[in-house]
Amino acid sequence: MGRVIARRLLQAIPILIGLSVLMFAWVRALPGGPAEALVRADASAAEVEAVRESLGLNRPIWIQYLAYLKQVVQFDFGTSLMSRQPVRAEMIDRFPASIELAVSAMIFALVIGVPLGYYAARRYGSALDHLFVASSLIGITIPVFFMAYLLKFVFAVQLGWLPTTGRSNARVESDHPTGFYVLDGLLTGNLGASWDAIQHLILPAIALGTIPLAIIVRMTRATVLDVMNEDYVRTAEAKGLTKFRISSRHVMRNALIPLVTIVGLQLGLLMSGTVLTETVFSFPGVGSFVAGALFARDYPTIQGFVVVIAVMYIIVNLVVDIAYAYIDPRVRAS
Amino acid sequence: MALLEIRDLKVVFTRRDKAPVHAVDGLNLDVDRGQTVGLVGESGCGKSVTSLAILGLLPTRGVEVSGTITFDGEDLLTMSDTRRREVRGRDIAMIFQDPMTSLNPVLRVGVQLTETLRRHRGMSTGEARVEAQRLLEQVGIPAARQRLGEFPHQLSGGMRQRVLIAIALACSPKMLIADEPTTALDVTVQAQILDLLRTHVADSATALVMITHDMGVVAGICDEVSVMYAGRRIEAARCYPLFEDPRHWYTKGLLASAPTLERPRADRLSPIPGSAQDRIPWAQGCAFAPRCPAVTADCLAGPPPMVSVDDTHQHRCVNPAQPHSGPAPADKELMSP
């Protein structure tokens, strides 16, 4: 198991180097050159010169690259042009919110999707099966922002059950050592704060999780149908095991293998795709911030975002690989 | 009363927009305690479907099962699902054809073996492990303790079939059904597996139903043989009388098509003409009539009844082959594994 992890981490290095080369080249290909691109549009010639100096643009290109690499390794992307704060500080401030939201959305999708998909497969061809398949199609086709507005209107505005916007209620006192509010509440023994953060997460998580939910329902249904026809499930039946034992031990364990792939890919997508949901719920995550940065041509922020997202994709993939090795012994052997 | 009594078993697969398939069509079969019965026939004759019907493993949708299967005094077809799961694996166990796919790839051998012991014999995890090791040793697996912690892909095909046999024997079942247990294995391993089954059946009073299309396997292990064709038994006898003196033309053809050591290698085998698809419904006459070399008008005058040659030999042919007539049937020295 340790070797699997070590190998995957080593494989991440060339990916990150490739990415840094791309980013390095991209900044140097910007209109007007990197120095002009990295300052605000109304900057004076002296300011541009200062940036040029700080970037060391008069040095050989490979030294420039190494210097750049050194900065990237320290997650130092300079100062945001929009907020005039260091990009790193902005990221630390906002990424936990988006991660918390993406993970909540995935938990929602899994907790609802896997049982539904399993049930549909067991009742293959029945009215309920058709209903689940049809509604999962609807789930995929509803745009995220529409779903978000709908949920907000019904459950927050009309019924008033859940908060409309934000991550937490200002009147609930809380400390945030990690930036993950639910976790923070648990760590500081402030369960009220955790509960408040969860309430704020419910609607955005459902809005964001609807598409993965639909995909997981279909995927689970298809793989469970496959696995149920395997010879080893017939062997398990022939042993006279209980239905529960057969489904939990023999069917689901095997059906998890393709499911883990989907969950990994979807989780990566969710992290970088929270913009619409965050906007509707005024959720202070990274998505809405980066959307603003794109319009403002805030290149330092965009660079930082791209690198952090890449690192997170690599981490998610690593977790997926570890999960594979845990579930399927044949992966461990190879 | 026999341990297993099958009466007028019919299994019909219904298909949308197509004629239903009568996989098993009025089968009668008795198996006594301690007896080894061979169920022989070509692909599609209903052998495997019969075994799945006994265990209750047929799909519920699109399948109609009728008749009775009485096992140890209880009708398997009408008992509750819960009761059936108790009987399955404890009183009736099954060994499947393909050891490569019949073990769960993500569970350790030990888990797959002990779960049966814990379910049916109420053992604790620790007791089950000790017993599992004993079972693996019993089926001739070396380093059994170590094997318990391994996964199926770490074992060879023969080893996997031994594990499956150990699983089947775990609760000392009253009856064991082996569905072509040696087909997927190479010849030397086939012989070992058959030896293993033979020894076990001789030591315990387990009834064994051996489903096969291999006459060599039948000759090697069975007390009695039932030959199936088109979902019905067409001839039944003790093993050697059947080989010596087959009465039904299908049995005769089956024996003649097996290679023997006496015949020169250059000789072509004599196959039965046509395929199992060329059949007529039993209600109209003998299902084998379209392929039979001795067909007469009588063959098509309704379902042929079971006729007794003696106490142990019956057949379903209106125009039976005479003893030692026609093309020489294969004798005892078949190419047995």
Side-chain angles (χ1 to χ4, degrees), chain A residues 227-277:
Chain A
V227 174
M228 281 197 314
N229 287 322
E230 293 283 352
D231 285 350
Y232 53 78
V233 174
R234 193 182 55 186
T235 308
E237 288 281 0
K239 288 178 187 172
L241 302 176
T242 58
K243 276 183 183 169
F244 177 76
R245 172 94 188 173
I246 292 170
S247 55
S248 62
R249 244 344 184 19
H250 290 269
V251 177
M252 273 326 284
R253 182 99 191 229
N254 281 282
L256 278 178
I257 297 168
L259 206 58
V260 163
T261 318
I262 292 294
V263 170
L265 287 173
Q266 288 290 319
L267 196 59
L269 268 182
L270 287 184
M271 300 227 185
S272 56
T274 56
V275 177
L276 291 170
T277 312

Short mmCIF file of all heavy atoms in Angstrom, two decimals, chain A residues 227-277:
data_model
loop_
_atom_site.label_atom_id
_atom_site.label_comp_id
_atom_site.label_asym_id
_atom_site.label_seq_id
_atom_site.Cartn_x
_atom_site.Cartn_y
_atom_site.Cartn_z
N VAL A 227 -22.61 -6.79 -11.84
CA VAL A 227 -22.03 -7.65 -10.80
C VAL A 227 -23.01 -8.76 -10.41
O VAL A 227 -22.60 -9.89 -10.18
CB VAL A 227 -21.62 -6.81 -9.56
CG1 VAL A 227 -21.17 -7.71 -8.43
CG2 VAL A 227 -20.52 -5.84 -9.93
N MET A 228 -24.32 -8.44 -10.39
CA MET A 228 -25.29 -9.45 -9.97
C MET A 228 -25.30 -10.66 -10.89
O MET A 228 -25.71 -11.74 -10.50
CB MET A 228 -26.69 -8.84 -9.90
CG MET A 228 -26.89 -8.03 -8.63
SD MET A 228 -28.61 -7.69 -8.26
CE MET A 228 -29.24 -7.16 -9.82
N ASN A 229 -24.85 -10.46 -12.13
CA ASN A 229 -24.82 -11.59 -13.07
C ASN A 229 -23.50 -12.35 -13.04
O ASN A 229 -23.29 -13.26 -13.84
CB ASN A 229 -25.09 -11.09 -14.49
CG ASN A 229 -26.54 -10.73 -14.66
OD1 ASN A 229 -27.41 -11.39 -14.12
ND2 ASN A 229 -26.81 -9.66 -15.39
N GLU A 230 -22.60 -11.96 -12.15
CA GLU A 230 -21.32 -12.64 -12.09
C GLU A 230 -21.47 -14.02 -11.43
O GLU A 230 -22.32 -14.23 -10.58
CB GLU A 230 -20.32 -11.81 -11.27
CG GLU A 230 -19.92 -10.50 -11.89
CD GLU A 230 -18.91 -10.68 -13.02
OE1 GLU A 230 -18.42 -11.80 -13.22
OE2 GLU A 230 -18.63 -9.68 -13.70
N ASP A 231 -20.59 -14.92 -11.85
CA ASP A 231 -20.62 -16.29 -11.29
C ASP A 231 -20.45 -16.29 -9.77
O ASP A 231 -21.05 -17.10 -9.08
CB ASP A 231 -19.50 -17.13 -11.91
CG ASP A 231 -19.83 -17.54 -13.34
OD1 ASP A 231 -21.00 -17.33 -13.74
OD2 ASP A 231 -18.95 -18.04 -14.03
N TYR A 232 -19.59 -15.38 -9.26
CA TYR A 232 -19.31 -15.46 -7.82
C TYR A 232 -20.50 -15.04 -6.98
O TYR A 232 -20.61 -15.44 -5.83
CB TYR A 232 -18.05 -14.67 -7.45
CG TYR A 232 -18.01 -13.24 -7.90
CD1 TYR A 232 -18.72 -12.26 -7.23
CD2 TYR A 232 -17.26 -12.86 -9.00
CE1 TYR A 232 -18.67 -10.94 -7.64
CE2 TYR A 232 -17.21 -11.55 -9.42
CZ TYR A 232 -17.92 -10.59 -8.73
OH TYR A 232 -17.89 -9.29 -9.13
N VAL A 233 -21.41 -14.25 -7.56
CA VAL A 233 -22.63 -13.92 -6.82
C VAL A 233 -23.54 -15.14 -6.77
O VAL A 233 -24.18 -15.42 -5.76
CB VAL A 233 -23.35 -12.71 -7.46
CG1 VAL A 233 -24.68 -12.46 -6.78
CG2 VAL A 233 -22.48 -11.46 -7.34
N ARG A 234 -23.55 -15.91 -7.86
CA ARG A 234 -24.30 -17.16 -7.86
C ARG A 234 -23.72 -18.12 -6.82
O ARG A 234 -24.46 -18.80 -6.09
CB ARG A 234 -24.24 -17.80 -9.26
CG ARG A 234 -25.23 -18.93 -9.45
CD ARG A 234 -25.09 -19.54 -10.82
NE ARG A 234 -23.71 -19.96 -11.05
CZ ARG A 234 -23.25 -20.42 -12.21
NH1 ARG A 234 -24.05 -20.50 -13.25
NH2 ARG A 234 -22.01 -20.80 -12.33
N THR A 235 -22.38 -18.17 -6.73
CA THR A 235 -21.76 -19.00 -5.69
C THR A 235 -22.22 -18.57 -4.31
O THR A 235 -22.56 -19.40 -3.46
CB THR A 235 -20.22 -18.88 -5.77
OG1 THR A 235 -19.81 -19.15 -7.10
CG2 THR A 235 -19.56 -19.85 -4.82
N ALA A 236 -22.24 -17.24 -4.09
CA ALA A 236 -22.67 -16.73 -2.79
C ALA A 236 -24.12 -17.12 -2.51
O ALA A 236 -24.47 -17.50 -1.40
CB ALA A 236 -22.51 -15.20 -2.75
N GLU A 237 -24.96 -17.06 -3.54
CA GLU A 237 -26.36 -17.48 -3.38
C GLU A 237 -26.42 -18.97 -3.04
O GLU A 237 -27.20 -19.39 -2.19
CB GLU A 237 -27.15 -17.22 -4.67
CG GLU A 237 -27.44 -15.76 -4.95
CD GLU A 237 -28.61 -15.21 -4.13
OE1 GLU A 237 -29.21 -15.96 -3.35
OE2 GLU A 237 -28.91 -14.00 -4.28
N ALA A 238 -25.59 -19.75 -3.73
CA ALA A 238 -25.61 -21.20 -3.51
C ALA A 238 -25.15 -21.56 -2.11
O ALA A 238 -25.48 -22.62 -1.59
CB ALA A 238 -24.71 -21.89 -4.55
N LYS A 239 -24.39 -20.66 -1.45
CA LYS A 239 -23.98 -20.92 -0.08
C LYS A 239 -25.12 -20.69 0.89
O LYS A 239 -24.98 -20.97 2.08
CB LYS A 239 -22.86 -19.96 0.32
CG LYS A 239 -21.51 -20.23 -0.32
CD LYS A 239 -20.58 -19.12 0.17
CE LYS A 239 -19.24 -19.16 -0.52
NZ LYS A 239 -18.46 -17.96 -0.15
N GLY A 240 -26.22 -20.10 0.41
CA GLY A 240 -27.36 -19.84 1.29
C GLY A 240 -27.16 -18.65 2.19
O GLY A 240 -27.78 -18.55 3.24
N LEU A 241 -26.27 -17.73 1.80
CA LEU A 241 -26.06 -16.53 2.62
C LEU A 241 -27.33 -15.67 2.61
O LEU A 241 -28.16 -15.80 1.71
CB LEU A 241 -24.88 -15.73 2.07
CG LEU A 241 -23.56 -16.46 1.98
CD1 LEU A 241 -22.51 -15.57 1.34
CD2 LEU A 241 -23.09 -16.89 3.36
N THR A 242 -27.43 -14.79 3.60
CA THR A 242 -28.60 -13.91 3.63
C THR A 242 -28.48 -12.86 2.51
O THR A 242 -27.38 -12.57 2.04
CB THR A 242 -28.69 -13.17 4.98
OG1 THR A 242 -27.47 -12.44 5.15
CG2 THR A 242 -28.86 -14.14 6.13
N LYS A 243 -29.63 -12.33 2.15
CA LYS A 243 -29.65 -11.30 1.09
C LYS A 243 -28.75 -10.14 1.46
O LYS A 243 -28.05 -9.59 0.62
CB LYS A 243 -31.07 -10.78 0.90
CG LYS A 243 -31.92 -11.63 -0.02
CD LYS A 243 -33.28 -10.97 -0.20
CE LYS A 243 -34.17 -11.83 -1.06
NZ LYS A 243 -35.55 -11.37 -1.03
N PHE A 244 -28.79 -9.76 2.75
CA PHE A 244 -28.01 -8.60 3.18
C PHE A 244 -26.52 -8.86 3.01
O PHE A 244 -25.78 -8.02 2.50
CB PHE A 244 -28.32 -8.27 4.65
CG PHE A 244 -27.49 -7.14 5.18
CD1 PHE A 244 -27.79 -5.83 4.83
CD2 PHE A 244 -26.40 -7.39 6.00
CE1 PHE A 244 -27.02 -4.78 5.30
CE2 PHE A 244 -25.62 -6.35 6.47
CZ PHE A 244 -25.93 -5.04 6.13
N ARG A 245 -26.10 -10.05 3.42
CA ARG A 245 -24.68 -10.40 3.31
C ARG A 245 -24.24 -10.39 1.84
O ARG A 245 -23.17 -9.91 1.50
CB ARG A 245 -24.46 -11.78 3.93
CG ARG A 245 -23.08 -12.35 3.72
CD ARG A 245 -22.18 -12.05 4.89
NE ARG A 245 -20.81 -12.44 4.57
CZ ARG A 245 -19.77 -12.18 5.34
NH1 ARG A 245 -19.95 -11.50 6.45
NH2 ARG A 245 -18.57 -12.55 5.01
N ILE A 246 -25.08 -10.94 0.98
CA ILE A 246 -24.71 -11.01 -0.44
C ILE A 246 -24.61 -9.62 -1.03
O ILE A 246 -23.65 -9.29 -1.74
CB ILE A 246 -25.73 -11.87 -1.21
CG1 ILE A 246 -25.60 -13.33 -0.78
CG2 ILE A 246 -25.51 -11.75 -2.72
CD1 ILE A 246 -26.69 -14.22 -1.30
N SER A 247 -25.57 -8.74 -0.70
CA SER A 247 -25.52 -7.42 -1.30
C SER A 247 -24.39 -6.58 -0.72
O SER A 247 -23.67 -5.91 -1.45
CB SER A 247 -26.87 -6.71 -1.15
OG SER A 247 -27.23 -6.66 0.21
N SER A 248 -24.19 -6.66 0.60
CA SER A 248 -23.17 -5.78 1.18
C SER A 248 -21.77 -6.30 0.92
O SER A 248 -20.87 -5.53 0.59
CB SER A 248 -23.40 -5.64 2.69
OG SER A 248 -23.27 -6.91 3.31
N ARG A 249 -21.57 -7.61 1.05
CA ARG A 249 -20.22 -8.13 0.94
C ARG A 249 -19.83 -8.49 -0.49
O ARG A 249 -18.74 -8.19 -0.96
CB ARG A 249 -20.08 -9.38 1.82
CG ARG A 249 -19.12 -9.32 3.00
CD ARG A 249 -18.21 -8.24 2.93
NE ARG A 249 -17.14 -7.96 3.83
CZ ARG A 249 -16.50 -8.69 4.71
NH1 ARG A 249 -16.86 -9.90 4.95
NH2 ARG A 249 -15.49 -8.24 5.37
N HIS A 250 -20.73 -9.14 -1.21
CA HIS A 250 -20.34 -9.68 -2.51
C HIS A 250 -20.65 -8.74 -3.67
O HIS A 250 -19.86 -8.62 -4.60
CB HIS A 250 -21.00 -11.04 -2.73
CG HIS A 250 -20.44 -12.11 -1.85
ND1 HIS A 250 -19.39 -12.91 -2.23
CD2 HIS A 250 -20.75 -12.48 -0.60
CE1 HIS A 250 -19.10 -13.75 -1.24
NE2 HIS A 250 -19.91 -13.51 -0.24
N VAL A 251 -21.81 -8.07 -3.61
CA VAL A 251 -22.18 -7.23 -4.75
C VAL A 251 -21.56 -5.83 -4.62
O VAL A 251 -20.81 -5.38 -5.50
CB VAL A 251 -23.72 -7.12 -4.89
CG1 VAL A 251 -24.08 -6.18 -6.03
CG2 VAL A 251 -24.31 -8.50 -5.15
N MET A 252 -21.83 -5.15 -3.50
CA MET A 252 -21.41 -3.74 -3.41
C MET A 252 -19.90 -3.58 -3.46
O MET A 252 -19.39 -2.65 -4.07
CB MET A 252 -21.97 -3.11 -2.13
CG MET A 252 -23.37 -2.53 -2.27
SD MET A 252 -23.77 -1.80 -3.87
CE MET A 252 -22.89 -0.26 -3.80
N ARG A 253 -19.20 -4.48 -2.81
CA ARG A 253 -17.75 -4.36 -2.79
C ARG A 253 -17.17 -4.31 -4.20
O ARG A 253 -16.27 -3.55 -4.50
CB ARG A 253 -17.18 -5.55 -2.02
CG ARG A 253 -15.71 -5.55 -1.86
CD ARG A 253 -15.31 -5.03 -0.49
NE ARG A 253 -13.88 -4.80 -0.48
CZ ARG A 253 -13.07 -5.24 0.47
NH1 ARG A 253 -13.56 -5.89 1.48
NH2 ARG A 253 -11.79 -4.99 0.41
N ASN A 254 -17.75 -5.13 -5.09
CA ASN A 254 -17.27 -5.13 -6.47
C ASN A 254 -17.81 -3.95 -7.26
O ASN A 254 -17.13 -3.43 -8.15
CB ASN A 254 -17.65 -6.44 -7.16
CG ASN A 254 -16.73 -7.58 -6.77
OD1 ASN A 254 -15.63 -7.68 -7.27
ND2 ASN A 254 -17.17 -8.41 -5.84
N ALA A 255 -19.04 -3.54 -6.93
CA ALA A 255 -19.63 -2.42 -7.66
C ALA A 255 -18.93 -1.11 -7.31
O ALA A 255 -18.98 -0.15 -8.07
CB ALA A 255 -21.13 -2.32 -7.33
N LEU A 256 -18.24 -1.07 -6.15
CA LEU A 256 -17.56 0.15 -5.73
C LEU A 256 -16.42 0.51 -6.68
O LEU A 256 -16.08 1.68 -6.80
CB LEU A 256 -16.97 -0.05 -4.32
CG LEU A 256 -17.91 0.15 -3.16
CD1 LEU A 256 -17.17 -0.12 -1.86
CD2 LEU A 256 -18.46 1.55 -3.15
N ILE A 257 -15.84 -0.49 -7.34
CA ILE A 257 -14.62 -0.24 -8.11
C ILE A 257 -14.85 0.83 -9.20
O ILE A 257 -14.15 1.83 -9.23
CB ILE A 257 -14.04 -1.55 -8.67
CG1 ILE A 257 -13.63 -2.45 -7.50
CG2 ILE A 257 -12.85 -1.29 -9.57
CD1 ILE A 257 -13.33 -3.87 -7.89
N PRO A 258 -15.85 0.64 -10.10
CA PRO A 258 -16.09 1.72 -11.07
C PRO A 258 -16.66 2.98 -10.42
O PRO A 258 -16.42 4.09 -10.90
CB PRO A 258 -17.09 1.12 -12.05
CG PRO A 258 -17.64 -0.08 -11.40
CD PRO A 258 -16.68 -0.53 -10.37
N LEU A 259 -17.37 2.81 -9.32
CA LEU A 259 -18.00 3.96 -8.66
C LEU A 259 -16.94 4.93 -8.14
O LEU A 259 -17.11 6.15 -8.22
CB LEU A 259 -18.87 3.45 -7.51
CG LEU A 259 -20.03 4.31 -7.09
CD1 LEU A 259 -20.96 4.54 -8.27
CD2 LEU A 259 -20.80 3.65 -5.97
N VAL A 260 -15.84 4.38 -7.61
CA VAL A 260 -14.79 5.23 -7.06
C VAL A 260 -14.20 6.15 -8.13
O VAL A 260 -13.93 7.32 -7.88
CB VAL A 260 -13.69 4.34 -6.42
CG1 VAL A 260 -12.42 5.12 -6.21
CG2 VAL A 260 -14.18 3.76 -5.11
N THR A 261 -14.05 5.62 -9.36
CA THR A 261 -13.54 6.43 -10.46
C THR A 261 -14.42 7.65 -10.67
O THR A 261 -13.95 8.78 -10.78
CB THR A 261 -13.53 5.61 -11.76
OG1 THR A 261 -13.07 4.32 -11.45
CG2 THR A 261 -12.68 6.26 -12.81
N ILE A 262 -15.72 7.39 -10.78
CA ILE A 262 -16.68 8.45 -11.04
C ILE A 262 -16.66 9.49 -9.93
O ILE A 262 -16.64 10.69 -10.18
CB ILE A 262 -18.11 7.84 -11.16
CG1 ILE A 262 -18.20 6.98 -12.41
CG2 ILE A 262 -19.17 8.90 -11.18
CD1 ILE A 262 -18.08 7.78 -13.67
N VAL A 263 -16.63 9.01 -8.69
CA VAL A 263 -16.63 9.94 -7.57
C VAL A 263 -15.39 10.84 -7.61
O VAL A 263 -15.48 12.05 -7.42
CB VAL A 263 -16.71 9.17 -6.23
CG1 VAL A 263 -16.47 10.09 -5.06
CG2 VAL A 263 -18.06 8.51 -6.10
N GLY A 264 -14.24 10.25 -7.93
CA GLY A 264 -13.00 11.03 -8.01
C GLY A 264 -13.10 12.12 -9.07
O GLY A 264 -12.82 13.29 -8.82
N LEU A 265 -13.53 11.71 -10.27
CA LEU A 265 -13.63 12.68 -11.37
C LEU A 265 -14.62 13.79 -11.03
O LEU A 265 -14.36 14.97 -11.24
CB LEU A 265 -14.08 11.98 -12.65
CG LEU A 265 -13.04 11.10 -13.33
CD1 LEU A 265 -13.67 10.33 -14.48
CD2 LEU A 265 -11.89 11.95 -13.83
N GLN A 266 -15.77 13.38 -10.47
CA GLN A 266 -16.81 14.35 -10.17
C GLN A 266 -16.37 15.31 -9.07
O GLN A 266 -16.67 16.50 -9.13
CB GLN A 266 -18.09 13.62 -9.73
CG GLN A 266 -18.80 12.93 -10.87
CD GLN A 266 -19.43 13.92 -11.82
OE1 GLN A 266 -20.00 14.91 -11.41
NE2 GLN A 266 -19.31 13.67 -13.11
N LEU A 267 -15.65 14.81 -8.09
CA LEU A 267 -15.21 15.66 -6.98
C LEU A 267 -14.27 16.73 -7.51
O LEU A 267 -14.37 17.91 -7.13
CB LEU A 267 -14.52 14.81 -5.91
CG LEU A 267 -14.36 15.46 -4.56
CD1 LEU A 267 -15.71 15.86 -3.99
CD2 LEU A 267 -13.65 14.54 -3.58
N GLY A 268 -13.37 16.36 -8.40
CA GLY A 268 -12.48 17.33 -9.02
C GLY A 268 -13.27 18.40 -9.76
O GLY A 268 -13.00 19.60 -9.62
N LEU A 269 -14.27 17.95 -10.51
CA LEU A 269 -15.12 18.88 -11.26
C LEU A 269 -15.83 19.84 -10.31
O LEU A 269 -15.92 21.04 -10.57
CB LEU A 269 -16.16 18.12 -12.06
CG LEU A 269 -15.83 17.73 -13.49
CD1 LEU A 269 -17.01 17.03 -14.11
CD2 LEU A 269 -15.48 18.98 -14.29
N LEU A 270 -16.34 19.29 -9.22
CA LEU A 270 -17.11 20.11 -8.28
C LEU A 270 -16.25 21.22 -7.70
O LEU A 270 -16.69 22.34 -7.54
CB LEU A 270 -17.64 19.23 -7.13
CG LEU A 270 -18.79 18.29 -7.46
CD1 LEU A 270 -19.26 17.58 -6.21
CD2 LEU A 270 -19.94 19.05 -8.08
N MET A 271 -14.97 20.89 -7.37
CA MET A 271 -14.11 21.88 -6.75
C MET A 271 -13.89 23.07 -7.66
O MET A 271 -13.80 24.21 -7.20
CB MET A 271 -12.76 21.26 -6.44
CG MET A 271 -12.90 20.09 -5.49
SD MET A 271 -11.73 20.20 -4.21
CE MET A 271 -12.01 18.69 -3.36
N SER A 272 -13.77 22.80 -8.96
CA SER A 272 -13.51 23.91 -9.86
C SER A 272 -14.81 24.46 -10.44
O SER A 272 -14.79 25.46 -11.15
CB SER A 272 -12.58 23.46 -10.99
OG SER A 272 -13.12 22.35 -11.65
N GLY A 273 -15.94 23.85 -10.13
CA GLY A 273 -17.18 24.26 -10.78
C GLY A 273 -18.24 24.79 -9.84
O GLY A 273 -19.43 24.70 -10.10
N THR A 274 -17.79 25.38 -8.73
CA THR A 274 -18.77 25.83 -7.75
C THR A 274 -19.26 27.25 -8.01
O THR A 274 -20.05 27.78 -7.23
CB THR A 274 -18.16 25.78 -6.33
OG1 THR A 274 -16.97 26.55 -6.35
CG2 THR A 274 -17.84 24.38 -5.92
N VAL A 275 -18.76 27.87 -9.11
CA VAL A 275 -19.02 29.29 -9.34
C VAL A 275 -20.50 29.64 -9.25
O VAL A 275 -20.91 30.54 -8.50
CB VAL A 275 -18.47 29.72 -10.72
CG1 VAL A 275 -18.79 31.17 -10.98
CG2 VAL A 275 -16.98 29.48 -10.76
N LEU A 276 -21.34 28.92 -10.04
CA LEU A 276 -22.75 29.29 -10.12
C LEU A 276 -23.44 29.15 -8.78
O LEU A 276 -24.15 30.05 -8.34
CB LEU A 276 -23.45 28.41 -11.16
CG LEU A 276 -23.02 28.68 -12.60
CD1 LEU A 276 -23.56 27.62 -13.54
CD2 LEU A 276 -23.49 30.06 -13.04
N THR A 277 -23.20 28.03 -8.11
CA THR A 277 -23.85 27.81 -6.82
C THR A 277 -23.41 28.86 -5.81
O THR A 277 -24.21 29.43 -5.08
CB THR A 277 -23.48 26.42 -6.29
OG1 THR A 277 -23.67 25.48 -7.34
CG2 THR A 277 -24.33 26.03 -5.12
#
